[in-house]
Structure formats: structure tokens, C-alpha cells
Amino acid sequence: MLDKSKAADIFDKIKNYSTADEVEALFYGGRSALTRFANNTIHQNVAEENYGVSVRTVFGGRTARASTNKLDDESLRRVVQASESLAKVQHPDPELLPMPASGGQKVSFPIRYFDETAAVTPEQRAEAVHKIVSIAQRHKLTTAGIFATAESIEAIFNSRSLSDWHTQTSSEISITMLAADSSGWQKANSPNVAHLDAVTLGEVAARKALESAAPREIPAGKYTVILEPAAVLDIVGFMFFDFGGLAILDQRSFLNNRVGAKIFGDNINITDDVGHPLQSGAPFDGEGIRRQRVHLVEDGIVKQLVYARATAEKMKRSEKILTGMTRDGTFLVEGGKVRHGVRNFRFNESLLHMLSNVQEMGTPVRASGEESFDMVVPPMKIREFNFTEVTKF
């Protein structure tokens, strides 16, 4: 693994190669390994280790960036030259801020690197897959999915003496169970592999496939729905880039002219909190500024946005409509009980409408989906969710 000391030595070389007024280096990369299975057997096992550095140089208000994943001396000279050559032909930006000299006060931060995760072997992943396949075979199902682990680094150094370093591990299991006319899916991700239970995930995916077998068709329309956390994540995750100040400035956010307005239900609260014990990620942003807890929505009211430094300096109507399909376990619930599986639907739903019609929420958990980054979200019961048509499966 590239460590902070080696990265600092590399940055010293970059500074020596540069003639710019200011220079910055972002380091990224790490080790990753993945075991993939399908048709109840492992068919792929891969591992890689790769690191890169992105160099930004500044000449009198002109700036540009170049990157390389080769860290030998000649490659570092070339990436500095590429960055400087690009910067020198840019138009000066009168609003370009100096690089920060400090990222802010460092506070205690949850541990996100676990030796147990970093040490997972192919044999351990294969044993977990064996348990998942055994569950599939016991229920006469076919399974496919992945078991992946990684350790990664993020770092920033600049010529104004800022330096910050973050390393973390990650682990992920994703399982699909297939029956003749139904399927079930379950996924989990955590920095700590001890928090993943392959057997429990496999049993849940199998149960979804079994209980949604022989799905019946019900008409499209507006229904009260119960969304598990992964489904909530994949839907609401589409709106989080709209909370960035630059999206507001560019007039491409559905929150334009709505900051301070009540646009969701009273029970909707959203917080950007990298320090949450169930979250992951570095404690600093891409400029090296320490990230803070930000209350984006309180009691349905849009309270704050998040900004890069330059966007914040500049910061002195539309609806977010999503379409998609249900899959891997859709059920009819009557009288508080799951009655039977149903054919999947296509939906067209406004986030504003959806988050104004949340009747109940469960305990928030770290959720993993397929359309968004991991977040801590609750399951939701939502009224008048708009299903527009029935699918053929």
C-alpha cells in the first residue's frame, strides 16, 4: 500500500519539478479483490493494486490538472509538464481562489480501516460463496453475485503546506437468487467485513425469490408501498447532487428558488454527515477542507446546501421526476401480511410527491443499492406511489 510518507516524498518531487505559483497533488487508489459467481459456481477471481496522482498547477489565475498512474520520476516530470502546459494556455480566471493553507480543525473521526477486511483471502471469499450456493441448492434455486473487498487511500498535498490523508477498507456481498418465474436480491456493504453475514443475506434473497413465485398481475395505479432501505436509497439518491451550490448556480437543480421553502413532508429530515458511524468516506473534500455535518432538510424545509470554496464565494423550477421498474421481489400486502408475489411495475414518480407522502419510517440502516452510493436511510411506507404499467415478468 502507498502510505502517507511515500506520498509526501512523491509530492516533494512534484514540487521540485514544477515552476508554477502553486501546485497541488491528489493521491488515490489501493488494492481490491473480487470473487464472482453465477449458476451456483465461482467463475471469476480477480485482484489488482493501482495508485494514481492528479497534479494541479496555477500560474497567475490560470489553472489545469493532469493525472498519471505511474509514480516513477520520469512519469512524475511528465505529468507536471502536462499540467503546466495546459495551465499556461488557459484564460485567467479572476474568481480563482488561492489553494487553502489549512483544511480546518481536525476532530475525532470513526475508524474506517479494519485489518480483518484488508486481510480477507480468496479462500475466505470462496467459503462464503459456498455457503450462499448451499442455500440456493437447498431451496432449488440458482444464485449469482459477488463478494468483494478493498483497501483504499485518498490524500491531498499542496505547496501551501496542506497535507491530509485518509485510508479505509470496504467489503461487499451482492446476491441474486433465481427461480423459474421469480427472483430475490440482497446486498450489503461495510468497511468492516465482520458486519457482513453471507448466510443471512443469502437466506433473505432466497426467501424473496420463493415468496414471490408464481406472481399475479394486478392493475397499474397509485398504491401505498413499503420500500426497503435499498429501494429508498436508489430513488432518493438521484437528488443529492442537486444540493450542491454549483448545481444551483448553473440553474440545473430542482432546488432552484426553493432553499428555505417547505417542499417535503414534515417527517423528512436529511443530513450530510460523513462522521456518522455507519457511513464511509474521507473527512476532507477534494480541496482538503474538513467536511462538516450539514442539515440539508429539516422538517421538510430545505435549509442548507453544500459548497466548494469557489462556489461559496459566488453564492453571495422544476420537479425531479424519476422512472424505473420494480424487480427481485415485489409483493402484495393486505391486512398487514404478505399475501403473494405480483408482476413487476414501471413507475413514474416525483421525489417531491413521494417525500410528501411518507406515512411511516423504520430504523435507518446503512443501505446498498445499484443506482446510488451507500447511505444511511430508513425503510418507508409511502401512499399514492405511481405505477404506470405492468411489466411482462
mmCIF file of all heavy atoms in Angstrom, residues 284-325:
data_model
loop_
_atom_site.group_PDB
_atom_site.id
_atom_site.type_symbol
_atom_site.label_atom_id
_atom_site.label_comp_id
_atom_site.label_asym_id
_atom_site.label_seq_id
_atom_site.Cartn_x
_atom_site.Cartn_y
_atom_site.Cartn_z
ATOM 1 N N PHE A 284 -12.239 14.867 4.614
ATOM 2 C CA PHE A 284 -11.940 16.117 3.913
ATOM 3 C C PHE A 284 -12.442 16.015 2.481
ATOM 4 O O PHE A 284 -12.641 14.928 1.945
ATOM 5 C CB PHE A 284 -10.434 16.409 3.925
ATOM 6 C CG PHE A 284 -9.583 15.259 3.457
ATOM 7 C CD1 PHE A 284 -9.293 15.082 2.109
ATOM 8 C CD2 PHE A 284 -9.077 14.346 4.365
ATOM 9 C CE1 PHE A 284 -8.516 14.018 1.677
ATOM 10 C CE2 PHE A 284 -8.290 13.280 3.949
ATOM 11 C CZ PHE A 284 -8.010 13.110 2.596
ATOM 12 N N ASP A 285 -12.650 17.196 1.853
ATOM 13 C CA ASP A 285 -13.156 17.195 0.481
ATOM 14 C C ASP A 285 -12.008 17.265 -0.517
ATOM 15 O O ASP A 285 -10.830 17.146 -0.161
ATOM 16 C CB ASP A 285 -14.160 18.334 0.281
ATOM 17 C CG ASP A 285 -13.530 19.723 0.373
ATOM 18 O OD1 ASP A 285 -12.282 19.828 0.384
ATOM 19 O OD2 ASP A 285 -14.285 20.709 0.420
ATOM 20 N N GLY A 286 -12.329 17.475 -1.784
ATOM 21 C CA GLY A 286 -11.327 17.457 -2.833
ATOM 22 C C GLY A 286 -10.343 18.603 -2.798
ATOM 23 O O GLY A 286 -9.348 18.591 -3.527
ATOM 24 N N GLU A 287 -10.597 19.614 -1.963
ATOM 25 C CA GLU A 287 -9.655 20.713 -1.791
ATOM 26 C C GLU A 287 -8.885 20.604 -0.477
ATOM 27 O O GLU A 287 -8.057 21.455 -0.179
ATOM 28 C CB GLU A 287 -10.394 22.048 -1.819
ATOM 29 C CG GLU A 287 -11.081 22.344 -3.140
ATOM 30 C CD GLU A 287 -11.819 23.664 -3.108
ATOM 31 O OE1 GLU A 287 -12.872 23.741 -2.442
ATOM 32 O OE2 GLU A 287 -11.338 24.631 -3.724
ATOM 33 N N GLY A 288 -9.195 19.557 0.307
ATOM 34 C CA GLY A 288 -8.532 19.399 1.590
ATOM 35 C C GLY A 288 -9.246 20.063 2.747
ATOM 36 O O GLY A 288 -8.737 20.080 3.869
ATOM 37 N N ILE A 289 -10.437 20.614 2.505
ATOM 38 C CA ILE A 289 -11.214 21.262 3.556
ATOM 39 C C ILE A 289 -11.942 20.202 4.374
ATOM 40 O O ILE A 289 -12.532 19.269 3.812
ATOM 41 C CB ILE A 289 -12.231 22.260 2.966
ATOM 42 C CG1 ILE A 289 -11.506 23.294 2.107
ATOM 43 C CG2 ILE A 289 -13.034 22.928 4.071
ATOM 44 C CD1 ILE A 289 -10.485 24.114 2.848
ATOM 45 N N ARG A 290 -11.911 20.335 5.702
ATOM 46 C CA ARG A 290 -12.570 19.365 6.565
ATOM 47 C C ARG A 290 -14.072 19.400 6.345
ATOM 48 O O ARG A 290 -14.696 20.464 6.321
ATOM 49 C CB ARG A 290 -12.275 19.646 8.045
ATOM 50 C CG ARG A 290 -10.818 19.764 8.403
ATOM 51 C CD ARG A 290 -10.008 18.546 8.025
ATOM 52 N NE ARG A 290 -10.322 17.384 8.841
ATOM 53 C CZ ARG A 290 -9.633 16.248 8.800
ATOM 54 N NH1 ARG A 290 -8.603 16.131 7.984
ATOM 55 N NH2 ARG A 290 -9.980 15.227 9.558
ATOM 56 N N ARG A 291 -14.657 18.230 6.168
ATOM 57 C CA ARG A 291 -16.102 18.141 5.977
ATOM 58 C C ARG A 291 -16.818 18.265 7.313
ATOM 59 O O ARG A 291 -16.318 17.832 8.355
ATOM 60 C CB ARG A 291 -16.449 16.812 5.307
ATOM 61 C CG ARG A 291 -15.896 16.705 3.891
ATOM 62 C CD ARG A 291 -16.116 15.340 3.299
ATOM 63 N NE ARG A 291 -17.543 15.030 3.154
ATOM 64 C CZ ARG A 291 -18.003 13.866 2.745
ATOM 65 N NH1 ARG A 291 -17.158 12.883 2.453
ATOM 66 N NH2 ARG A 291 -19.302 13.663 2.633
ATOM 67 N N GLN A 292 -17.988 18.872 7.284
ATOM 68 C CA GLN A 292 -18.779 19.102 8.484
ATOM 69 C C GLN A 292 -20.164 18.497 8.323
ATOM 70 O O GLN A 292 -20.599 18.176 7.222
ATOM 71 C CB GLN A 292 -18.908 20.608 8.754
ATOM 72 C CG GLN A 292 -17.581 21.331 8.910
ATOM 73 C CD GLN A 292 -17.774 22.825 9.072
ATOM 74 O OE1 GLN A 292 -18.882 23.299 9.325
ATOM 75 N NE2 GLN A 292 -16.699 23.577 8.908
ATOM 76 N N ARG A 293 -20.848 18.380 9.452
ATOM 77 C CA ARG A 293 -22.234 17.900 9.431
ATOM 78 C C ARG A 293 -23.132 19.034 8.951
ATOM 79 O O ARG A 293 -23.115 20.131 9.510
ATOM 80 C CB ARG A 293 -22.637 17.454 10.846
ATOM 81 C CG ARG A 293 -23.933 16.677 10.915
ATOM 82 C CD ARG A 293 -24.077 16.045 12.294
ATOM 83 N NE ARG A 293 -25.162 15.108 12.351
ATOM 84 C CZ ARG A 293 -26.329 15.340 12.937
ATOM 85 N NH1 ARG A 293 -26.546 16.510 13.520
ATOM 86 N NH2 ARG A 293 -27.269 14.419 12.953
ATOM 87 N N VAL A 294 -23.910 18.755 7.906
ATOM 88 C CA VAL A 294 -24.765 19.785 7.321
ATOM 89 C C VAL A 294 -26.203 19.286 7.297
ATOM 90 O O VAL A 294 -26.494 18.219 6.744
ATOM 91 C CB VAL A 294 -24.313 20.135 5.879
ATOM 92 C CG1 VAL A 294 -25.219 21.226 5.296
ATOM 93 C CG2 VAL A 294 -22.852 20.574 5.864
ATOM 94 N N HIS A 295 -27.110 20.050 7.883
ATOM 95 C CA HIS A 295 -28.541 19.721 7.856
ATOM 96 C C HIS A 295 -29.126 20.266 6.548
ATOM 97 O O HIS A 295 -29.361 21.457 6.409
ATOM 98 C CB HIS A 295 -29.264 20.330 9.061
ATOM 99 C CG HIS A 295 -28.829 19.744 10.369
ATOM 100 N ND1 HIS A 295 -29.242 18.506 10.808
ATOM 101 C CD2 HIS A 295 -28.006 20.234 11.319
ATOM 102 C CE1 HIS A 295 -28.692 18.246 11.981
ATOM 103 N NE2 HIS A 295 -27.934 19.271 12.319
ATOM 104 N N LEU A 296 -29.355 19.377 5.613
ATOM 105 C CA LEU A 296 -29.870 19.789 4.307
ATOM 106 C C LEU A 296 -31.369 20.076 4.354
ATOM 107 O O LEU A 296 -31.835 21.066 3.780
ATOM 108 C CB LEU A 296 -29.575 18.703 3.270
ATOM 109 C CG LEU A 296 -28.097 18.327 3.090
ATOM 110 C CD1 LEU A 296 -27.972 17.158 2.121
ATOM 111 C CD2 LEU A 296 -27.285 19.513 2.608
ATOM 112 N N VAL A 297 -32.115 19.181 4.988
ATOM 113 C CA VAL A 297 -33.574 19.324 5.097
ATOM 114 C C VAL A 297 -33.983 19.092 6.538
ATOM 115 O O VAL A 297 -33.567 18.107 7.157
ATOM 116 C CB VAL A 297 -34.304 18.309 4.181
ATOM 117 C CG1 VAL A 297 -35.812 18.406 4.367
ATOM 118 C CG2 VAL A 297 -33.929 18.532 2.721
ATOM 119 N N GLU A 298 -34.766 19.995 7.087
ATOM 120 C CA GLU A 298 -35.297 19.850 8.446
ATOM 121 C C GLU A 298 -36.807 20.014 8.403
ATOM 122 O O GLU A 298 -37.316 21.040 7.928
ATOM 123 C CB GLU A 298 -34.694 20.893 9.390
ATOM 124 C CG GLU A 298 -33.201 20.719 9.642
ATOM 125 C CD GLU A 298 -32.670 21.732 10.636
ATOM 126 O OE1 GLU A 298 -33.437 22.162 11.530
ATOM 127 O OE2 GLU A 298 -31.492 22.123 10.516
ATOM 128 N N ASP A 299 -37.507 18.989 8.856
ATOM 129 C CA ASP A 299 -38.969 19.012 8.897
ATOM 130 C C ASP A 299 -39.569 19.388 7.541
ATOM 131 O O ASP A 299 -40.552 20.125 7.453
ATOM 132 C CB ASP A 299 -39.468 19.980 9.975
ATOM 133 C CG ASP A 299 -38.930 19.631 11.359
ATOM 134 O OD1 ASP A 299 -38.734 18.441 11.619
ATOM 135 O OD2 ASP A 299 -38.690 20.553 12.156
ATOM 136 N N GLY A 300 -38.966 18.866 6.481
ATOM 137 C CA GLY A 300 -39.478 19.104 5.138
ATOM 138 C C GLY A 300 -39.013 20.383 4.478
ATOM 139 O O GLY A 300 -39.302 20.629 3.315
ATOM 140 N N ILE A 301 -38.250 21.228 5.212
ATOM 141 C CA ILE A 301 -37.798 22.520 4.700
ATOM 142 C C ILE A 301 -36.340 22.410 4.242
ATOM 143 O O ILE A 301 -35.492 21.912 4.981
ATOM 144 C CB ILE A 301 -37.921 23.615 5.773
ATOM 145 C CG1 ILE A 301 -39.376 23.759 6.221
ATOM 146 C CG2 ILE A 301 -37.390 24.950 5.255
ATOM 147 C CD1 ILE A 301 -39.559 24.659 7.428
ATOM 148 N N VAL A 302 -36.054 22.856 3.021
ATOM 149 C CA VAL A 302 -34.676 22.877 2.525
ATOM 150 C C VAL A 302 -33.919 23.963 3.265
ATOM 151 O O VAL A 302 -34.204 25.156 3.112
ATOM 152 C CB VAL A 302 -34.632 23.131 1.008
ATOM 153 C CG1 VAL A 302 -33.194 23.143 0.516
ATOM 154 C CG2 VAL A 302 -35.442 22.087 0.266
ATOM 155 N N LYS A 303 -32.957 23.566 4.091
ATOM 156 C CA LYS A 303 -32.275 24.510 4.969
ATOM 157 C C LYS A 303 -30.928 24.985 4.426
ATOM 158 O O LYS A 303 -30.595 26.157 4.492
ATOM 159 C CB LYS A 303 -32.052 23.863 6.344
ATOM 160 C CG LYS A 303 -33.322 23.716 7.169
ATOM 161 C CD LYS A 303 -33.790 25.063 7.668
ATOM 162 C CE LYS A 303 -34.907 24.910 8.698
ATOM 163 N NZ LYS A 303 -35.342 26.206 9.238
ATOM 164 N N GLN A 304 -30.100 24.042 3.951
ATOM 165 C CA GLN A 304 -28.746 24.397 3.542
ATOM 166 C C GLN A 304 -28.339 23.610 2.306
ATOM 167 O O GLN A 304 -28.935 22.587 1.967
ATOM 168 C CB GLN A 304 -27.740 24.095 4.665
ATOM 169 C CG GLN A 304 -27.964 24.877 5.939
ATOM 170 C CD GLN A 304 -26.865 24.583 6.943
ATOM 171 O OE1 GLN A 304 -25.724 25.004 6.800
ATOM 172 N NE2 GLN A 304 -27.217 23.846 7.999
ATOM 173 N N LEU A 305 -27.299 24.113 1.648
ATOM 174 C CA LEU A 305 -26.661 23.418 0.549
ATOM 175 C C LEU A 305 -25.209 23.151 0.936
ATOM 176 O O LEU A 305 -24.740 23.608 1.975
ATOM 177 C CB LEU A 305 -26.705 24.264 -0.721
ATOM 178 C CG LEU A 305 -28.080 24.752 -1.176
ATOM 179 C CD1 LEU A 305 -27.928 25.709 -2.354
ATOM 180 C CD2 LEU A 305 -28.963 23.573 -1.566
ATOM 181 N N VAL A 306 -24.489 22.408 0.103
ATOM 182 C CA VAL A 306 -23.061 22.216 0.314
ATOM 183 C C VAL A 306 -22.312 22.881 -0.840
ATOM 184 O O VAL A 306 -22.786 22.893 -1.977
ATOM 185 C CB VAL A 306 -22.680 20.723 0.410
ATOM 186 C CG1 VAL A 306 -23.231 20.123 1.684
ATOM 187 C CG2 VAL A 306 -23.201 19.933 -0.785
ATOM 188 N N TYR A 307 -21.145 23.461 -0.527
ATOM 189 C CA TYR A 307 -20.408 24.258 -1.491
ATOM 190 C C TYR A 307 -18.932 23.894 -1.518
ATOM 191 O O TYR A 307 -18.337 23.605 -0.484
ATOM 192 C CB TYR A 307 -20.472 25.749 -1.132
ATOM 193 C CG TYR A 307 -21.840 26.312 -0.909
ATOM 194 C CD1 TYR A 307 -22.400 26.334 0.365
ATOM 195 C CD2 TYR A 307 -22.564 26.852 -1.960
ATOM 196 C CE1 TYR A 307 -23.653 26.870 0.586
ATOM 197 C CE2 TYR A 307 -23.828 27.395 -1.750
ATOM 198 C CZ TYR A 307 -24.365 27.402 -0.473
ATOM 199 O OH TYR A 307 -25.604 27.940 -0.258
ATOM 200 N N ALA A 308 -18.344 23.950 -2.687
ATOM 201 C CA ALA A 308 -16.899 24.078 -2.785
ATOM 202 C C ALA A 308 -16.555 25.525 -2.442
ATOM 203 O O ALA A 308 -17.423 26.406 -2.463
ATOM 204 C CB ALA A 308 -16.430 23.741 -4.197
ATOM 205 N N ARG A 309 -15.282 25.808 -2.156
ATOM 206 C CA ARG A 309 -14.918 27.171 -1.737
ATOM 207 C C ARG A 309 -15.264 28.203 -2.800
ATOM 208 O O ARG A 309 -15.815 29.267 -2.503
ATOM 209 C CB ARG A 309 -13.417 27.253 -1.427
ATOM 210 C CG ARG A 309 -12.977 26.518 -0.179
ATOM 211 C CD ARG A 309 -11.504 26.774 0.107
ATOM 212 N NE ARG A 309 -10.699 26.529 -1.071
ATOM 213 C CZ ARG A 309 -9.756 27.358 -1.541
ATOM 214 N NH1 ARG A 309 -9.506 28.491 -0.907
ATOM 215 N NH2 ARG A 309 -9.066 27.057 -2.616
ATOM 216 N N ALA A 310 -14.947 27.899 -4.066
ATOM 217 C CA ALA A 310 -15.204 28.876 -5.118
ATOM 218 C C ALA A 310 -16.694 29.111 -5.301
ATOM 219 O O ALA A 310 -17.136 30.244 -5.508
ATOM 220 C CB ALA A 310 -14.583 28.398 -6.430
ATOM 221 N N THR A 311 -17.486 28.053 -5.206
ATOM 222 C CA THR A 311 -18.936 28.194 -5.345
ATOM 223 C C THR A 311 -19.510 29.010 -4.198
ATOM 224 O O THR A 311 -20.376 29.867 -4.395
ATOM 225 C CB THR A 311 -19.606 26.812 -5.385
ATOM 226 O OG1 THR A 311 -18.991 26.017 -6.391
ATOM 227 C CG2 THR A 311 -21.090 26.943 -5.679
ATOM 228 N N ALA A 312 -19.021 28.758 -2.989
ATOM 229 C CA ALA A 312 -19.485 29.523 -1.823
ATOM 230 C C ALA A 312 -19.186 31.006 -2.003
ATOM 231 O O ALA A 312 -19.982 31.879 -1.615
ATOM 232 C CB ALA A 312 -18.822 29.001 -0.558
ATOM 233 N N GLU A 313 -18.046 31.316 -2.618
ATOM 234 C CA GLU A 313 -17.681 32.716 -2.842
ATOM 235 C C GLU A 313 -18.646 33.377 -3.820
ATOM 236 O O GLU A 313 -18.946 34.563 -3.720
ATOM 237 C CB GLU A 313 -16.246 32.777 -3.382
ATOM 238 C CG GLU A 313 -15.611 34.143 -3.321
ATOM 239 C CD GLU A 313 -15.265 34.566 -1.912
ATOM 240 O OE1 GLU A 313 -15.189 33.699 -1.018
ATOM 241 O OE2 GLU A 313 -15.084 35.787 -1.707
ATOM 242 N N LYS A 314 -19.140 32.603 -4.783
ATOM 243 C CA LYS A 314 -20.056 33.151 -5.793
ATOM 244 C C LYS A 314 -21.497 33.251 -5.286
ATOM 245 O O LYS A 314 -22.312 33.952 -5.893
ATOM 246 C CB LYS A 314 -20.042 32.261 -7.037
ATOM 247 C CG LYS A 314 -18.722 32.209 -7.771
ATOM 248 C CD LYS A 314 -18.800 31.232 -8.934
ATOM 249 C CE LYS A 314 -17.468 31.083 -9.627
ATOM 250 N NZ LYS A 314 -17.520 30.084 -10.725
ATOM 251 N N MET A 315 -21.776 32.562 -4.179
ATOM 252 C CA MET A 315 -23.173 32.468 -3.750
ATOM 253 C C MET A 315 -23.517 33.664 -2.878
ATOM 254 O O MET A 315 -23.737 33.522 -1.692
ATOM 255 C CB MET A 315 -23.414 31.177 -2.994
ATOM 256 C CG MET A 315 -23.407 29.937 -3.846
ATOM 257 S SD MET A 315 -24.738 29.842 -5.022
ATOM 258 C CE MET A 315 -26.125 29.546 -3.943
ATOM 259 N N LYS A 316 -23.073 34.852 -3.155
ATOM 260 C CA LYS A 316 -23.427 35.928 -2.261
ATOM 261 C C LYS A 316 -24.878 36.162 -2.701
ATOM 262 O O LYS A 316 -25.513 36.820 -2.590
ATOM 263 C CB LYS A 316 -22.428 37.047 -2.310
ATOM 264 C CG LYS A 316 -21.077 36.518 -1.802
ATOM 265 C CD LYS A 316 -20.256 37.498 -1.119
ATOM 266 C CE LYS A 316 -19.013 36.874 -0.552
ATOM 267 N NZ LYS A 316 -17.909 37.276 -0.332
ATOM 268 N N ARG A 317 -37.639 26.242 -12.011
ATOM 269 C CA ARG A 317 -38.486 25.436 -11.142
ATOM 270 C C ARG A 317 -39.003 24.171 -11.832
ATOM 271 O O ARG A 317 -39.761 24.246 -12.739
ATOM 272 C CB ARG A 317 -39.715 26.196 -10.991
ATOM 273 C CG ARG A 317 -39.749 26.676 -9.658
ATOM 274 C CD ARG A 317 -40.776 27.209 -9.111
ATOM 275 N NE ARG A 317 -41.070 28.497 -9.041
ATOM 276 C CZ ARG A 317 -41.131 29.083 -7.910
ATOM 277 N NH1 ARG A 317 -40.757 28.429 -6.835
ATOM 278 N NH2 ARG A 317 -41.557 30.266 -7.916
ATOM 279 N N SER A 318 -38.117 23.400 -11.064
ATOM 280 C CA SER A 318 -38.534 22.194 -11.785
ATOM 281 C C SER A 318 -38.832 21.086 -10.794
ATOM 282 O O SER A 318 -38.480 21.187 -9.628
ATOM 283 C CB SER A 318 -37.421 21.734 -12.731
ATOM 284 O OG SER A 318 -36.278 21.380 -11.988
ATOM 285 N N GLU A 319 -39.491 19.973 -11.245
ATOM 286 C CA GLU A 319 -39.679 18.793 -10.398
ATOM 287 C C GLU A 319 -38.673 17.749 -10.775
ATOM 288 O O GLU A 319 -38.263 17.641 -11.931
ATOM 289 C CB GLU A 319 -41.105 18.215 -10.549
ATOM 290 C CG GLU A 319 -42.129 18.963 -9.702
ATOM 291 C CD GLU A 319 -43.344 18.099 -9.449
ATOM 292 O OE1 GLU A 319 -43.514 17.037 -10.066
ATOM 293 O OE2 GLU A 319 -44.148 18.498 -8.629
ATOM 294 N N LYS A 320 -38.297 16.896 -9.774
ATOM 295 C CA LYS A 320 -37.370 15.789 -10.017
ATOM 296 C C LYS A 320 -38.219 14.551 -10.259
ATOM 297 O O LYS A 320 -38.690 13.913 -9.319
ATOM 298 C CB LYS A 320 -36.474 15.600 -8.794
ATOM 299 C CG LYS A 320 -35.258 14.717 -9.046
ATOM 300 C CD LYS A 320 -34.156 15.463 -9.765
ATOM 301 C CE LYS A 320 -32.860 14.659 -9.768
ATOM 302 N NZ LYS A 320 -31.780 15.354 -10.468
ATOM 303 N N ILE A 321 -38.456 14.183 -11.536
ATOM 304 C CA ILE A 321 -39.288 13.046 -11.892
ATOM 305 C C ILE A 321 -38.391 11.859 -12.214
ATOM 306 O O ILE A 321 -37.449 11.973 -12.999
ATOM 307 C CB ILE A 321 -40.177 13.362 -13.117
ATOM 308 C CG1 ILE A 321 -41.044 14.590 -12.839
ATOM 309 C CG2 ILE A 321 -41.034 12.157 -13.473
ATOM 310 C CD1 ILE A 321 -42.096 14.385 -11.797
ATOM 311 N N LEU A 322 -38.683 10.712 -11.628
ATOM 312 C CA LEU A 322 -37.901 9.508 -11.860
ATOM 313 C C LEU A 322 -38.783 8.421 -12.450
ATOM 314 O O LEU A 322 -39.962 8.326 -12.124
ATOM 315 C CB LEU A 322 -37.304 9.001 -10.546
ATOM 316 C CG LEU A 322 -36.342 9.943 -9.833
ATOM 317 C CD1 LEU A 322 -35.921 9.326 -8.506
ATOM 318 C CD2 LEU A 322 -35.121 10.206 -10.685
ATOM 319 N N THR A 323 -38.186 7.616 -13.313
ATOM 320 C CA THR A 323 -38.878 6.444 -13.827
ATOM 321 C C THR A 323 -37.999 5.222 -13.609
ATOM 322 O O THR A 323 -36.778 5.330 -13.587
ATOM 323 C CB THR A 323 -39.219 6.606 -15.322
ATOM 324 O OG1 THR A 323 -39.998 5.494 -15.752
ATOM 325 C CG2 THR A 323 -37.962 6.701 -16.171
ATOM 326 N N GLY A 324 -38.611 4.086 -13.425
ATOM 327 C CA GLY A 324 -37.860 2.862 -13.182
ATOM 328 C C GLY A 324 -38.798 1.691 -13.079
ATOM 329 O O GLY A 324 -40.004 1.803 -13.345
ATOM 330 N N MET A 325 -38.248 0.525 -12.696
ATOM 331 C CA MET A 325 -39.056 -0.676 -12.555
ATOM 332 C C MET A 325 -38.735 -1.392 -11.253
ATOM 333 O O MET A 325 -37.608 -1.339 -10.766
ATOM 334 C CB MET A 325 -38.809 -1.634 -13.728
ATOM 335 C CG MET A 325 -39.357 -1.145 -15.047
ATOM 336 S SD MET A 325 -39.285 -2.431 -16.322
ATOM 337 C CE MET A 325 -37.527 -2.654 -16.485
#
